[in-house]
Amino acid sequence: MRSSDQNEGKLWKNFREGNDRAFFDLYDQYVDVLFSFGIQFCTDKEIVKDCIQDLFIDLYRYRKSLSDTDSIKFYLFRSLRRKLHKEISKNQFVSLDEEVEVRLDLQVSDSEKKIIGYESEKENLHILEQALKQLTKQQQRALAMKFEQNLSYSEIASLLNISVESARTNIYRALKSLRKKMSKKNMATTALLIVYYKSMSFGNSILI
Amino acid sequence: MRQKTEDILKKEGVSKEDIARAFASDTDEYRISNDILSFLSESKYHLTEQEKIQIKSEIRASIQRKSFFKRKFHLLAAASIFVAILAGLLFYHQLKLEYQLTEYAQSLPDFENDSTTRLVLSEGREVHIREKVSHIQYHSQGEKIEIGTNQQEIKQELKQVKPSFNTVVVPYGKRAQLTLSDGSMVWLNSGSKLIYPASFRSKKREVYIDGEGVFKVQKDLTKPFIVKSGSFDVEVTGTVFNISVYSDDKFSSAVLKEGSIRLDYNPNGLFATKTQEMLPGDMAILNLKEKAVETKKVNPEDYMSWVEGYYSFRSEQLGGILKKLSRYYNVDIQLKDRALMKETFTGGVELKNSIEEVLNLIKKTTKFNYRKEGEQIIIY
């Protein structure tokens, strides 16, 4: 953690001193996380892409006057949030709270692809996906910021314009409702598994 | 004390090891926490590698353009003066004409939606035409013009030296059919503007369009016909094609039916012009933001059929269809649902029918509803 902070600081410093390579390294390093952050606020992918592009062009243009920053990531998120807000209020076709179309292309690692494991993994994803959709927009954003973008509670609070306390509450409640949905399902699976193991114990005749 | 999933995951910077430690004794709760953590840490929306590269190259282009001008400003200034003088000396006459048309076209006020089609003559006189489809026919010297089905004749005086530009402005809900002084025919769709010299006296026949038009160009190998626009220039000798260059669209396009045409466009707004040769059945689409041209094979009739009074759509997105209909019928159609915009429709639409009849037809295969609110039609 420490050394990555130092690297980050160095990258930022090189970039501010006019090193183009450092600038594009910044881009490579942050474009994914900026996108996954931005899409939480605006469901139009193209607008998020445009804003990210603008953000980096501005960053480059004003690099000489940028200050030393503790967290590049937070600085970038804040700027992107501002740009998106401006863009969305300009565009009548996009509303902030439009239903997000959740499409998951999560990958299951090979070691976890055991016969039963894989099926239940897919099922778990489905349950979590549904459960996530039922959370409030605010809760979804807070979760993404904490777990995808790895931001701290105080950063989340600041980006969402809420108190640190309500950032905590939002995340706590969201986690709790995800956990409840999973526990419910888990009980059902356990029952199924017992039946499955029982039939296995009948011997070879059952395995084809 | 037994902790629940939410108690452990709420920690700042929680990791898989934390969970393992906390739930060594409780496998169910461990599994759930683990599943939830992996689910939440994974990004749910991704940019493709291609998209990332594209954004990067656009950023690169933008910052390089800026620093290029900054660093090479003196050189560039000197070079451009040199080029200007050279060009001025060599192509004075030619350049002047070309420049004048584009400059004149772009100096005209922005498109205003009137209720009548306007023909603006060289001395500033305006003729207002009330018909749904205006017929305007120039005689070969450009001084005599016949208008309308009853062939009302008007005259304009043309100066000998300077080119005299005329303009036709077609509002939403109207169309126009023109015969230019060289015999070439142009059909203008709703919301379009065409600027052209009353008679073609220079070495090239040049016109400027904003909007959509079908051109049937009279063959003349000695005088190429050039359609200029804010997006690209199309150079032809004799041919039939459609071009659509609405300034409020994200894409401009050209579709060739007969003959061959050359499309010139400026990919980065600098000096380099790119050229695209087109064959019959080709459609070239210029993405105005990325300044890139793509071509595909189409049935050209689909893009000319509005001249005959119908639109034929092939898997066309509702967003695009409604934009065309909104122009053709001059009605404000509101569609805010982005998913609905991307729904597609295939089929023919009779344009002599009312907008409601047309929408009812599309509605049969493409799921949407509409209601009228005053002058507006709301799609939902």
Side-chain angles (χ1 to χ4, degrees), chain B residues 60-182:
Chain B
R60 196 188 294 278
S62 164
I63 65 177
Q64 276 170 359
R65 205 155 42 230
K66 285 199 185 86
S67 46
F68 174 79
F69 277 112
K70 236 186 206 163
R71 262 184 273 137
K72 303 272 163 70
F73 183 75
H74 294 291
L75 250 176
L76 195 77
S80 55
I81 291 169
F82 179 71
V83 169
I85 293 170
L86 200 71
L89 287 174
L90 292 177
F91 308 107
Y92 178 67
H93 190 61
Q94 191 71 27
L95 206 73
K96 206 175 128 205
L97 287 187
E98 266 184 43
Y99 182 61
Q100 277 181 352
L101 174 65
T102 311
E103 197 200 34
Y104 177 80
Q106 286 170 354
S107 72
L108 291 176
D110 276 346
F111 182 80
E112 257 178 74
N113 209 22
D114 262 322
S115 56
T116 55
T117 298
R118 283 182 298 141
L119 166 64
V120 187
L121 301 171
S122 58
E123 62 268 47
R125 204 144 51 96
E126 286 191 9
V127 182
H128 291 242
I129 308 162
R130 233 174 275 280
E131 287 168 297
K132 264 214 155 14
V133 182
S134 313
H135 291 261
I136 302 168
Q137 183 167 9
Y138 281 77
H139 284 223
S140 61
Q141 294 312 308
E143 289 179 330
K144 263 201 309 196
I145 310 162
E146 279 170 18
I147 292 175
T149 32
N150 51 0
Q151 296 177 340
Q152 191 189 337
E153 199 176 279
I154 52 167
K155 280 185 182 165
Q156 65 179 332
E157 211 171 294
L158 301 178
K159 298 206 174 65
Q160 278 312 305
V161 203
K162 275 169 96 185
S164 308
F165 296 120
N166 287 185
T167 307
V168 174
V169 186
V170 187
Y172 292 143
K174 301 274 165 80
R175 264 76 49 202
Q177 184 200 321
L178 272 99
T179 308
L180 300 175
S181 60
D182 67 336

Side-chain angles (χ1 to χ4, degrees), chain A residues 27 44 100 146 153 179, chain B residues 6 10-11 45 52 338:
Chain A
Y27 172 82
D44 189 323
V100 190
K146 176 159 168 48
Y153 281 114
R179 191 262 300 162
Chain B
E6 57 271 25
K10 72 178 184 189
K11 275 187 194 153
Y45 310 92
K52 283 190 254 177
R338 296 182 81 77

Side-chain angles (χ1 to χ4, degrees), chain B residues 276-290:
Chain B
Q276 176 96 35
E277 302 279 346
M278 288 176 66
L279 295 172
D282 279 352
M283 174 175 198
I285 303 162
L286 176 69
N287 183 329
L288 294 178
K289 213 179 106 221
E290 289 162 17

Side-chain angles (χ1 to χ4, degrees), chain A residues 20 23-24 27-28 31-32 35-36 39-40 44-47 49-50 52-53 56-57 60-61 91-94 98 100-107 112 121 124-125 128-129 132 143-144 146-148 151-154 168 171-172 175-176 178-179 182-183 186 190, chain B residues 4-14 16 27-29 31-49 51-64 66-67 70-71 289-290 333-339 341-342:
Chain A
D20 279 6
F23 172 69
F24 287 109
Y27 172 82
D28 289 337
V31 62
D32 283 322
F35 181 75
S36 77
I39 205 80
Q40 291 290 333
D44 189 323
K45 198 174 164 183
E46 295 307 314
I47 293 181
K49 279 162 69 179
D50 284 351
I52 293 178
Q53 187 178 323
F56 277 96
I57 292 172
Y60 187 88
R61 190 185 299 161
N91 196 332
Q92 52 156 338
F93 285 113
V94 188
E98 224 173 316
V100 190
E101 179 194 343
V102 180
R103 245 196 56 234
L104 295 169
D105 37 6
L106 296 184
Q107 279 167 11
E112 284 165 313
E121 183 102 359
N124 281 351
L125 282 185
L128 285 170
E129 186 187 319
L132 191 65
L143 282 181
K146 176 159 168 48
F147 294 101
E148 287 178 41
L151 294 168
S152 70
Y153 281 114
S154 63
R168 281 181 186 280
I171 285 173
Y172 186 80
L175 285 171
K176 191 168 175 179
L178 292 186
R179 191 262 300 162
M182 286 292 277
S183 314
N186 245 32
T190 318
Chain B
K4 286 271 180 201
T5 299
E6 57 271 25
D7 296 315
I8 188 75
L9 290 187
K10 72 178 184 189
K11 275 187 194 153
E12 297 253 23
V14 61
K16 289 212 171 192
T27 50
D28 270 352
E29 202 70 25
R31 225 184 22 233
I32 292 174
S33 305
N34 211 10
D35 284 349
I36 292 181
L37 180 63
S38 357
F39 171 75
L40 290 176
S41 326
E42 199 75 50
S43 290
K44 278 118 200 123
Y45 310 92
H46 302 275
L47 286 174
T48 62
E49 285 309 309
E51 285 173 311
K52 283 190 254 177
I53 291 171
Q54 180 158 21
I55 298 174
K56 196 176 181 177
S57 74
E58 278 175 34
I59 294 171
R60 196 188 294 278
S62 164
I63 65 177
Q64 276 170 359
K66 285 199 185 86
S67 46
K70 236 186 206 163
R71 262 184 273 137
K289 213 179 106 221
E290 289 162 17
I333 304 179
Q334 291 286 333
L335 170 56
K336 297 201 176 173
D337 183 339
R338 296 182 81 77
M341 268 184 212
K342 298 208 164 77

Side-chain angles (χ1 to χ4, degrees), chain A residues 106-132:
Chain A
L106 296 184
Q107 279 167 11
V108 182
S109 72
D110 278 340
S111 62
E112 284 165 313
K113 274 185 190 168
K114 288 163 198 155
I115 315 136
I116 310 167
Y118 182 56
E119 277 311 304
S120 89
E121 183 102 359
K122 264 183 18 189
E123 221 182 295
N124 281 351
L125 282 185
H126 184 70
I127 289 171
L128 285 170
E129 186 187 319
Q130 292 306 316
L132 191 65

